[in-house]
Amino acid sequence: MDSVGWEGDSVVQRYIARERDTHREPRVRITGLMMQYHEVCTRELWFFSRGVDIDRETSNIQRGTHIDETSYEGQRRSFSINGRIVLDMLDSGEVMEVKASSALEAPAKLQLLYYLWYLDEILDIERDGVLAYPAERKREPVELDADSREWVEESIRGVIQTVERDEPPELEKKPYCDSCLYQDICWV
Amino acid sequence: MTKPNHHIFADGDLKRNEGTLRIDTLDGETEYLPVESVDTLYLHGQITFNTRALGLLNEHGIPVHVFGWKDHYRGSYLPKRDHISGDTVVQQVRAYDDPARRLSIAEDFVAASIHNMRANVRYYDDKRGDFTGALNRLEGLKQRVCDDDRDSIDELRGIEATARKAYYRCFDTILRDPFELTQREYNPPTSEANALISFLNGMVYTSCVSAIRQTALDPTVGFLHEPGERRFTLSLDIADIFKPLLADRVAFRVVNRQHISIDDFESELEGCLLSEDGRLAVLEEFEKMLDETIEHPRLNRKVSYKTLVRTDVYSLKKHLIANEPYRATERWW
């Protein structure tokens, strides 16, 4: 049994306790991608958490991967932490998240905030972040303040709730369904 | 976007050449095959290959189907899975082990299969004969699958066999003379029409193996067929849905449009088989068919027949893990 209490924020507190303890695994391992999916579409998150395979060779994914791999080369280094999150650290010390487009800004921001939150809560490292859209020549500073902390923790509760469901959240038409990798699974 | 399949008929060596595939045929010719542009590789000739070549195919997730003497299916080399999902396999086996769920999935396969047989017969009704009897019979059998309660898979298989018999009886009339199909026979096929259908059914089967490989489903655990059979039984299940849509329509096409003739077959002691030229002609039509597209009512875009096999498998997988309805592909177009 965890030493942390079960009341109030227990879900998040338990998650933090488990992540801090190198010998224990949380029931749901939360990656940055899962935080993103939670914000975009909980149904997508559910399918992803069940290991539903998707075609990663679509042009959208390839474009994103290419932009991520070729931007700011030499100015940043990738870190994998606890085999859980992978983040890019700039030489200046900021955590950078590179995105192909700013079309889905909130999910990208949440992903980056989760990294900052994880560094702070689990590893005691305070950092600022920057969201970069090289194709649009845009950069946006991102900081972990009280509001964004609350947003991250609310989302952690949401992710765990979604993943622990036996059946996926109901089908719902969204504007970006047509370009989603899970389109063929959701709508067929 | 789906990529094309590639068939190698020549005898020779298949090698890795840096980041691509190279084929040196015994005739002294060299062909390069850009590995990124291949969906599935079919080896029909006597091909030598090594682990380096397999490694490259593995990296690109390309399955290889191997055919031996007279194009008998020998087996498949399947690439390492990108996604392994124990959860999916557990759900699949649970569904198999629950008699009611197993039966319900098997009924979906059979209902769709009969529906698709009937769609073919309806197309040729009046065009090449009067098929009213067969149409009614198939309609009735499909109703029985959907309406009746049953508790055995055997009974369901019986209905499927009856439907297939009624369906194959129409072939003799549909196929232009001198092609005849008085009885469906395989192992070995005893006539030209039987040889043609067997060859095409094999292609549908391998297409299903490829599609299932793209999910984490276990190809050996089927629902209508018994897992004890030597083949991938889930592929056999899915293939039954697609045989009328792919194999039989290509068979009607190549015969009735005279892309092949009776001379494209060789009869030997062990049965009747397509000649190499015949196989090439049939495969050309089969690959064309796989790439043909139709408007999908729920996906809001055109999908190829090849994609349709994949989405059918996705739908089954979704049913198994999420308990949403499985929609076996029934011809709607």
Side-chain angles (χ1 to χ4, degrees):
Chain A
M1 199 61 70
D2 297 320
S3 55
V4 187
W6 287 71
E7 281 82 43
D9 272 347
S10 66
V11 173
V12 174
Q13 290 310 319
R14 253 173 70 204
Y15 185 70
I16 293 171
R18 290 247 171 162
E19 284 289 51
R20 278 187 186 154
D21 183 345
T22 45
H23 301 291
R24 308 199 68 164
E25 278 280 323
R27 269 225 300 260
V28 178
R29 311 159 115 237
I30 301 175
T31 64
L33 190 62
M34 286 165 83
M35 292 295 266
Q36 228 191 108
Y37 283 170
H38 170 70
E39 193 65 20
V40 177
C41 173
T42 51
R43 194 172 153 88
E44 182 178 22
L45 169 62
W46 192 92
F47 280 128
F48 176 79
S49 73
R50 290 301 188 280
V52 171
D53 3 57
I54 40 169
D55 184 3
R56 295 212 164 259
E57 283 177 23
T58 60
S59 47
N60 265 345
I61 287 272
Q62 285 185 337
R63 179 169 162 262
T65 311
H66 179 76
I67 289 178
D68 186 31
E69 280 171 359
T70 55
S71 309
Y72 308 103
E73 263 178 304
Q75 298 170 47
R76 56 177 177 141
R77 281 187 297 159
S78 271
F79 287 89
S80 168
I81 295 172
N82 291 357
R84 182 82 74 256
I85 60 173
V86 180
L87 43 80
D88 281 327
M89 205 77 93
L90 286 176
D91 293 343
S92 57
E94 292 155 305
V95 179
M96 173 181 256
E97 182 56 33
V98 178
K99 287 281 179 258
S101 115
S102 57
L104 293 171
E105 200 185 352
K109 199 167 175 173
L110 179 63
Q111 179 184 5
L112 180 51
L113 282 169
Y114 176 63
Y115 291 153
L116 301 179
W117 178 92
Y118 195 97
L119 287 175
D120 186 43
E121 287 287 348
I122 314 295
L123 305 163
D124 253 336
I125 302 169
E126 273 181 56
R127 285 285 188 259
D128 287 334
V130 53
L131 261 180
Y133 307 102
E136 300 169 12
R137 302 187 165 276
K138 243 171 71 179
R139 274 169 166 238
E140 189 199 331
V142 173
E143 278 176 37
L144 195 64
D145 55 22
D147 282 352
S148 54
R149 225 175 253 279
E150 182 49 40
W151 185 24
V152 169
E153 292 178 9
E154 184 58 44
S155 304
I156 288 173
R157 283 189 285 269
V159 167
I160 293 173
Q161 217 168 47
T162 300
V163 171
E164 292 194 335
R165 290 174 62 136
D166 286 337
E167 289 177 8
E170 222 164 295
L171 195 58
E172 186 191 328
K173 180 78 186 164
K174 297 190 168 160
Y176 33 79
C177 278
D178 286 346
S179 56
C180 176
L181 291 171
Y182 290 91
Q183 185 207 22
D184 285 4
I185 289 163
C186 270
W187 294 95
V188 72
Chain B
M1 247 327 269
T2 47
K3 292 177 275 189
N5 298 331
H6 193 90
H7 297 264
I8 301 175
F9 270 90
D11 299 335
D13 294 334
L14 175 68
K15 290 180 191 152
R16 174 183 192 144
N17 193 287
E18 313 238 330
T20 199
L21 289 169
R22 169 185 167 148
I23 300 135
D24 294 313
T25 69
L26 289 187
D27 304 340
E29 279 176 44
T30 294
E31 199 195 325
Y32 290 92
L33 186 59
V35 71
E36 301 84 6
S37 62
V38 180
D39 180 284
T40 297
L41 192 60
Y42 287 83
L43 305 182
H44 301 271
Q46 294 292 322
I47 308 281
T48 315
F49 51 88
N50 61 18
T51 49
R52 266 170 56 80
L54 288 181
L56 184 67
L57 293 161
N58 200 14
E59 275 167 34
H60 292 267
I62 302 172
V64 183
H65 301 305
V66 181
F67 295 81
W69 177 243
K70 292 292 180 191
D71 250 7
H72 281 304
Y73 174 67
R74 284 272 180 265
S76 305
Y77 168 77
L78 299 171
K80 179 174 75 69
R81 288 175 189 279
D82 271 347
H83 303 262
I84 300 172
S85 169
D87 193 45
T88 300
V89 179
V90 168
Q91 298 293 352
Q92 184 183 355
V93 175
R94 273 197 191 140
Y96 166 80
D97 222 23
D98 173 341
R101 265 190 98 188
R102 177 183 178 189
L103 202 54
S104 141
I105 294 168
E107 281 167 0
D108 289 339
F109 291 146
V110 175
S113 175
I114 298 178
H115 175 98
N116 293 334
M117 293 181 214
R118 192 173 181 278
N120 279 354
V121 178
R122 201 182 51 206
Y123 177 82
Y124 286 103
D125 190 34
D126 277 350
K127 264 197 185 87
R128 297 200 59 94
D130 175 9
F131 294 122
T132 315
L135 285 170
N136 291 338
R137 185 127 179 76
L138 290 171
E139 178 70 36
L141 288 165
K142 189 190 167 186
Q143 281 310 320
R144 257 180 76 193
V145 172
C146 298
D147 298 344
D148 291 4
D149 281 335
R150 67 184 57 78
D151 44 30
S152 94
I153 272 286
D154 276 344
E155 187 197 330
L156 186 64
R157 275 196 287 250
I159 299 175
E160 208 260 353
T162 313
R164 218 159 269 276
K165 227 178 216 167
Y167 171 60
Y168 281 128
R169 264 201 293 277
C170 305
F171 276 42
D172 201 28
T173 318
I174 294 174
L175 293 170
R176 180 197 269 262
D177 289 336
F179 282 87
E180 284 183 350
L181 192 90
T182 46
Q183 208 177 352
R184 177 79 183 105
E185 284 168 322
Y186 42 95
N187 278 337
T190 49
S191 69
E192 290 81 3
N194 272 306
L196 177 60
I197 295 164
S198 290
F199 177 66
L200 282 163
N201 283 349
M203 294 309 297
V204 173
Y205 170 80
T206 53
S207 301
C208 295
V209 173
S210 291
I212 292 166
R213 190 59 180 189
Q214 285 165 347
T215 72
L217 288 173
D218 189 320
T220 59
V221 181
F223 297 90
L224 180 64
H225 293 82
E226 286 298 339
E229 292 184 49
R230 274 168 305 164
R231 291 223 197 162
F232 288 143
T233 46
L234 185 60
S235 302
L236 290 174
D237 285 354
I238 305 284
D240 275 352
I241 300 169
F242 285 95
K243 279 175 193 170
L245 296 179
L246 296 168
D248 302 339
R249 284 175 72 212
V250 169
F252 300 151
R253 221 176 256 191
V254 293
V255 167
N256 291 353
R257 293 182 187 170
Q258 296 177 295
H259 292 314
I260 58 165
S261 75
I262 225 90
D263 300 331
D264 289 311
F265 294 82
E266 290 156 7
S267 277
E268 284 170 23
L269 270 180
E270 69 270 44
C272 183
L273 292 161
L274 268 163
S275 69
E276 185 170 328
D277 282 349
R279 271 179 270 156
L280 277 171
V282 174
L283 275 177
E284 195 182 330
E285 280 303 317
F286 183 76
E287 289 295 337
K288 243 194 248 170
M289 180 70 99
L290 283 179
D291 292 336
E292 257 177 46
T293 60
I294 36 163
E295 187 72 35
H296 195 292
R298 289 186 301 276
L299 295 181
N300 282 325
R301 64 169 207 264
K302 287 190 146 193
V303 295
S304 66
Y305 282 88
K306 195 191 258 173
T307 303
L308 216 52
V309 180
R310 205 176 65 195
T311 52
D312 191 292
V313 178
Y314 281 167
S315 176
L316 175 64
K317 167 155 179 171
K318 184 171 65 168
H319 171 71
L320 294 172
I321 65 165
N323 210 21
E324 290 181 10
Y326 166 50
R327 292 195 174 96
T329 308
E330 296 197 353
R331 189 174 172 159
W332 67 79
W333 56 96

